[in-house]
Amino acid sequence: MAYRLLALDIDGTLLKSNHRLAKETKDAIEFVKNKGVYVTLATGRAFPSARKVAKALKLNDVYLITHDGAFVAADADAPIFERRLDSDRVYQITDILENYHCHVRLLHEKYALGNKLNQKNQLIAKMNTKMGDPLFYPINFVDSPSNYLIDQPLTVPKICAKFWNESERQDAIEEIKEAVSEVRVTSSYEGSLDITDASATKARGLQVLGQKLGIKLSEMVAIGSYENDEEMVAQAGLGVAMGQSNDKLKSLADWVTRSNNQNGVGYMVKEVFRKQLRTETYK
């Protein structure tokens, strides 16, 4: 089988636990690009953050699967697929989340809206890195996002929250599922709660991109590390789980590579693509 597309999760996959890109990973991406394979990112991050990582990998002008599949685009102003939470559901979800001790982020494709919580600076910095790298695009912190939304309604591809108490997180999940219609609730890292429209998944994003490029799912390799990668890994021609992934994701995968701190992406790329001849390059 000649694979023509490689889809890569970012956090826990491309990036090491210190949130850095290893040289070996960059070299592996360049290696597979030189084989004529279309390389994209499939991430829970917002589009501006994903594009920053893409540029670091010299993936210029490629379509990116962002917001957990709710926003697929090469340019924020011209998505080829988007599934937004309408303003009523955005308000409902935000109002529920504000009853819990958590950081809330409404992730628009160009900016973010977040709540203020009094935490130690170091903890906030660490949390912000996980929640979409706000230094990469504008983020507006307000005391009460739900109050803000009353006067300025907003539609977004994704809402995410960071919890420190797992019991509270589970309570919030249950309340949102009971109160809000047609939403998908998942997690992209420990303590996270990620909400999109029910029809948005990374797997759906891959289908849309495949149709755009004329590439079949059976010709795709998808690699992920967490719960929000399950559908994508399961449906790809070759689904790959990172070494530190949970047992469920590993069971869905065709192949398990090393962990993100052990150059798992580089190892997988060399093993899977080293004997593959160059294919047509996709723009």
Side-chain angles (χ1 to χ4, degrees), residues 224-242:
S225 61
Y226 218 75
E227 180 182 317
N228 60 332
D229 297 311
E230 290 175 359
E231 296 95 338
M232 176 179 75
V233 167
Q235 78 160 11
L238 181 68
V240 181
M242 297 299 290

Side-chain angles (χ1 to χ4, degrees), residues 49-70:
S49 179
R51 185 169 58 179
K52 185 79 172 181
V53 177
K55 287 183 177 180
L57 292 168
K58 299 180 181 179
L59 300 177
N60 300 316
D61 302 320
V62 302
Y63 292 101
L64 303 175
I65 301 164
T66 65
H67 298 82
D68 278 329

Side-chain angles (χ1 to χ4, degrees), residues 122-252:
Q122 183 177 4
L123 183 58
I124 286 180
K126 186 179 294 186
M127 179 279 303
N128 281 343
T129 301
K130 281 286 192 178
M131 294 187 73
D133 300 296
L135 294 178
F136 293 160
Y137 59 98
I139 180 166
N140 183 18
F141 289 100
V142 297
D143 290 321
S144 172
S146 63
N147 286 343
Y148 177 96
L149 292 170
I150 292 173
D151 296 323
Q152 301 185 61
L154 186 63
T155 67
V156 296
K158 179 180 174 180
I159 297 174
C160 65
K162 164 64 180 176
F163 284 78
W164 288 271
N165 182 286
E166 179 59 21
S167 178
E168 275 205 337
R169 192 180 79 92
Q170 291 299 329
D171 288 345
I173 290 172
E174 184 176 341
E175 186 174 353
I176 289 169
K177 287 183 175 179
E178 288 181 357
V180 188
S181 62
E182 297 188 18
V183 292
R184 178 174 182 262
V185 182
T186 184
S187 180
S188 55
Y189 61 89
E190 185 177 356
S192 80
L193 194 160
D194 302 80
I195 305 140
T196 60
D197 183 82
S199 64
T201 66
K202 291 184 183 183
R204 179 71 183 278
L206 273 185
Q207 293 169 8
V208 169
L209 183 53
Q211 291 169 0
K212 176 74 174 178
L213 300 174
I215 300 176
K216 301 175 184 177
L217 289 172
S218 60
E219 298 173 311
M220 299 181 185
V221 178
I223 179 168
S225 61
Y226 218 75
E227 180 182 317
N228 60 332
D229 297 311
E230 290 175 359
E231 296 95 338
M232 176 179 75
V233 167
Q235 78 160 11
L238 181 68
V240 181
M242 297 299 290
Q244 81 280 4
S245 303
N246 62 34
D247 290 340
K248 182 176 180 181
L249 186 62
K250 289 178 178 178
S251 71
L252 293 170

